[in-house]
Amino acid sequence: MPSYTAPVRDMMFVLHDVLGADRHGIPGNEELDRDTTAAILTEAAKLAETVLAPLNRTGDTQGCRFENATVRTPEGFRAAFDALREGGWTALDCDPAYGGQGLPHLISTAASEIFSAANMAFYMYQGLTHGAYNAIHAHGSAAQKALYLPKMVAGRWSGTMNLTEPQCGTDLGLIRTRAEPQPDGSYRITGQKIWISAGEHDLTENIVHLVLARLPDAPEGVRGISLFIVPKYLPGPDGEPGARNAVSCAGLENKMGIHGNATCVMQYDGAVGEMLGAPHAGLRAMFTMMNEARLSVGLQGYAQGARAYQMALEFARNRLQGRALTGARNPEGPADPILVHADVRRMLMEQKALVEGGRALVFWGAALIDRARRAEDREAEALISLLTPVIKAFLTDKGFETTVLAQQVPGGAGYVRDSGLEQIVRDARITMIYEGTNGIQALDLVGRKLGADGGKAVMAFLALVTGFIAEHQGQDSDFDAGFLTPLAAALEDLGAALRYMQTAGSTAPLDALSGASDLLHLFGHVCLGLMWARMAQAAAVSAEDAAFCAAKIATGRFYMARLLPATRLHLARIETGAAPVMALDEEAF
């Protein structure tokens, strides 16, 4: 059975040495001293390593069962969810007014990585609930918050989001689900939703669906969408689950991966719902949940890469094959571990650099969310909005790439099911698709985020990187050569790409859109370059042991030398414009 070890040590380094989680004056962050974060993450690791990780294979092989409109989760999932709930993990960063612990989102993010890496399909049930909680918390009435949030925070009730329909996914303006107003102020919801993660299951007492639908007088397009709370069981006078609502699961999708999570077709047949937020403003309210989900999916991407990397590294240390070119490393044995070979080292270094860089980027994003929410920092809010499509798409593309590299290390042994690696490859693949495909994220970046508020956020990002380089330049020649010089070159490439996009956006939109994915990847590489420069600088002065810090700096140098130069490739592609992409007539495909 493939094992999992939570990377608590590396998380502590990022939280405290790199981000200074307990030093920046954000309300609530003073609680994040090293002893507290170590205690929280150690307890999360125990649950993940001893309960969730062993169920990962079970969830994949058994999957969810659809019986008489009811979904049964795999063996052991209910007990595991009880343990998650009883441990307080469903309430970590939630509002104390509704039973939450009120801790910063940053520490919740770190715990979420541990749980997602251990068992992604299982932890999706809680991840979706957290997103629904945030949407109700942000847009609900006082009565709605009082009714739903305490039970969701306690893990007694779970949540979903219902967007996609058979005829529309990305283009939500085509939604047909109807919401008919009733004399008592409620609504009757009728329609079908597909690909609804955790839409039906047996883990909680009730499931709170957030459903996009149209009122009878709704205008066409996305401006005519409203959001509704539609519980599986209608709350009774005491607030507890009462009569069954007219919402049901019509079937489960037969998926490539994440078999332990129920992906449902949901049927609404005049189900009773109540509006969340204002009429025709549902998309804005739903985006509260979607934006959190996109950041969570970025986390899933590198977390699956982290789990796969651990497996590949263990194999490389134990598999004996061939001899090191520089002399036998295991002279008493028949061969050396394959870890000695240069190409195996290359694959492992790429995995390590992408995983650890991705962790730092997501944790930084979580710190920006805390700054935006707790300190009402508008610049932080604008910056995380800009980075959201980059974190989602870049880290899931690279996360999947990492799982494939990990599978390659054992060769044929990685392709068979007993290794556990092929499951992680299948599970990771969805992260590039759901919550908006990565191509859509690239279009969002180019079409909306770059120009938002006159481009202030992207200018702030460029200034941040430039400021870091200026602050540290000239202090250490090795740091300059290994980190600052390549980071400055990558930033130059990003600047050139942004200037091209600005010109193309106004004169030749197809030129801009044809390079959108390349721009997103270029942007992502600069983000990881900044993270690695920050980590290397922190490692140079850290109180951590010398071997840990030396490994951190060496991994950073690898990233800057071997992976960051991809910015030049992406810039070259961007500057070719639309001509190569649009050259073929439609009939020629």
Side-chain angles (χ1 to χ4, degrees):
M1 179 69 66
S3 62
Y4 168 69
T5 302
V8 173
R9 187 186 196 187
D10 197 62
M11 289 179 167
M12 293 288 291
F13 171 77
V14 176
L15 288 170
H16 294 285
D17 294 272
V18 180
L19 297 177
D22 54 342
R23 300 195 304 269
H24 287 311
I26 301 171
N29 275 35
E30 64 275 1
E31 300 178 42
L32 294 186
D33 59 86
R34 286 182 183 268
D35 289 343
T36 301
T37 53
I40 293 170
L41 297 181
T42 299
E43 287 303 309
K46 287 179 184 177
L47 178 62
E49 293 166 5
T50 62
V51 178
L52 304 189
L55 289 175
N56 198 41
R57 180 71 175 274
T58 302
D60 186 58
T61 55
Q62 289 187 5
C64 294
R65 305 188 312 278
F66 182 58
E67 301 170 349
N68 301 319
T70 299
V71 173
R72 305 296 182 193
T73 53
E75 182 181 344
F77 270 41
R78 289 186 69 177
F81 199 86
D82 288 344
L84 191 78
R85 176 173 48 238
E86 291 162 7
W89 300 107
T90 59
L92 210 57
D93 65 339
C94 296
D95 190 340
Y98 304 103
Q101 298 178 37
L103 289 169
H105 182 62
L106 178 56
I107 195 67
S108 177
T109 297
S112 292
E113 181 199 324
I114 293 172
F115 297 142
S116 291
N119 194 326
M120 176 177 157
F122 168 84
Y123 195 63
M124 285 172 64
Y125 293 100
Q126 169 55 24
L128 288 156
T129 302
H130 192 276
Y133 155 87
N134 271 335
I136 296 172
H137 191 274
H139 302 284
S141 66
Q144 288 170 337
K145 293 177 185 180
L147 174 60
Y148 292 104
L149 295 188
K151 299 174 185 67
M152 296 173 79
V153 169
R156 292 176 53 204
W157 293 9
S158 58
T160 73
M161 60 177 174
N162 285 232
L163 290 79
T164 307
E165 298 181 8
Q167 78 286 349
C168 71
T170 300
D171 189 357
L172 293 173
L174 300 177
I175 279 176
R176 295 176 188 160
T177 298
R178 307 186 312 278
E180 297 286 343
Q182 303 299 303
D184 64 358
S186 67
Y187 296 82
R188 293 285 182 168
I189 312 299
T190 302
Q192 187 181 83
K193 300 289 184 176
I194 63 172
W195 302 338
I196 307 306
S197 299
E200 171 66 20
H201 56 80
D202 57 2
L203 302 179
T204 57
E205 300 168 5
N206 204 356
I207 303 174
V208 181
H209 301 290
L210 300 190
V211 184
L212 289 178
R214 290 187 178 280
L215 295 169
D217 60 347
E220 293 296 319
V222 295
R223 296 180 186 276
I225 300 174
S226 300
L227 184 60
F228 299 87
I229 301 174
V230 187
K232 174 181 174 180
Y233 293 103
L234 295 170
D238 59 356
E240 295 301 310
R244 177 69 191 254
N245 207 351
V247 52
S248 61
C249 175
L252 291 177
E253 301 291 351
N254 186 15
K255 308 185 299 288
M256 175 179 175
I258 55 167
H259 296 157
N261 192 268
T263 305
C264 303
V265 177
M266 300 301 298
Q267 189 68 41
Y268 295 84
D269 298 308
V272 176
E274 53 184 305
M275 187 176 292
L276 179 61
H280 315 315
L283 201 56
R284 176 177 171 271
M286 183 63 87
F287 262 107
T288 299
M289 188 172 184
M290 287 177 65
N291 284 331
E292 176 181 339
R294 287 172 176 176
L295 294 168
S296 296
V297 172
L299 180 150
Q300 287 177 342
Y302 84 81
Q304 291 305 293
R307 178 82 186 270
Y309 167 67
Q310 288 188 9
M311 294 181 187
L313 179 59
E314 182 179 7
F315 186 94
R317 282 176 168 158
N318 292 293
R319 172 68 165 176
L320 303 181
Q321 191 164 296
R323 290 292 187 188
L325 292 179
T326 54
R329 301 292 180 85
N330 179 34
E332 303 303 318
D336 289 334
I338 64 170
L339 185 58
V340 305
H341 302 307
D343 199 54
V344 174
R345 289 287 189 98
R346 173 192 65 81
M347 290 188 286
L348 291 170
M349 285 295 284
E350 286 192 24
Q351 295 165 57
K352 183 175 172 65
L354 291 171
V355 164
E356 293 179 10
R359 176 175 297 124
L361 178 57
V362 167
F363 283 20
W364 180 44
L368 289 173
I369 290 173
D370 281 329
R371 188 173 293 280
R373 289 178 182 171
R374 292 169 174 253
E376 298 183 353
D377 186 330
R378 299 304 178 199
E379 291 183 3
E381 185 175 9
L383 187 53
I384 191 57
S385 178
L386 170 71
L387 294 176
T388 293
V390 178
I391 289 172
K392 192 280 181 186
F394 183 71
L395 293 187
T396 57
D397 279 347
K398 293 303 177 183
F400 179 71
E401 182 181 310
T402 298
T403 66
V404 173
L405 279 170
Q407 188 183 37
Q408 189 71 14
V409 169
Y415 193 68
V416 297
R417 293 204 164 184
D418 287 346
S419 73
L421 277 165
E422 64 86 33
Q423 178 195 341
I424 294 178
V425 172
R426 288 186 287 106
D427 286 352
R429 184 64 182 87
I430 186 58
T431 63
M432 303 160 73
I433 297 172
Y434 62 13
E435 306 307 339
T437 64
N438 286 358
I440 293 297
Q441 303 303 317
L443 296 181
D444 179 44
L445 176 66
V446 171
R448 296 177 61 233
K449 299 301 176 63
L450 293 182
D453 198 16
K456 285 184 181 179
V458 73
M459 296 304 294
F461 176 82
L462 297 175
L464 188 153
V465 182
T466 301
F468 178 88
I469 294 169
E471 179 184 355
H472 297 285
Q473 207 157 31
Q475 298 177 12
D476 183 307
S477 58
D478 286 342
F479 186 70
D480 285 358
F483 291 90
L484 298 185
T485 298
L487 180 58
L491 188 65
E492 228 176 275
D493 291 340
L494 178 58
L498 290 170
R499 289 190 293 274
Y500 178 90
M501 288 291 178
Q502 186 176 30
T503 301
S506 58
T507 60
L510 274 181
D511 285 343
L513 296 182
S514 295
S517 289
D518 280 293
L519 178 69
L520 185 145
H521 275 254
L522 199 166
F523 208 133
H525 273 296
V526 173
C527 287
L528 255 62
L530 175 63
M531 293 299 102
W532 273 113
R534 291 179 66 178
M535 285 191 284
Q537 191 274 330
V541 298
S542 174
E544 285 278 358
D545 68 80
F548 176 90
C549 292
K552 185 65 67 175
I553 292 169
T555 306
R557 287 184 182 278
F558 174 89
Y559 180 83
M560 306 304 274
R562 296 284 301 227
L563 301 183
L564 186 57
T567 59
R568 298 172 211 159
L569 169 66
H570 291 301
L571 176 60
R573 288 173 171 172
I574 289 166
E575 290 178 338
T576 64
V581 176
M582 306 301 291
L584 286 182
D585 292 334
E586 292 177 15
E587 295 77 15
F589 280 93

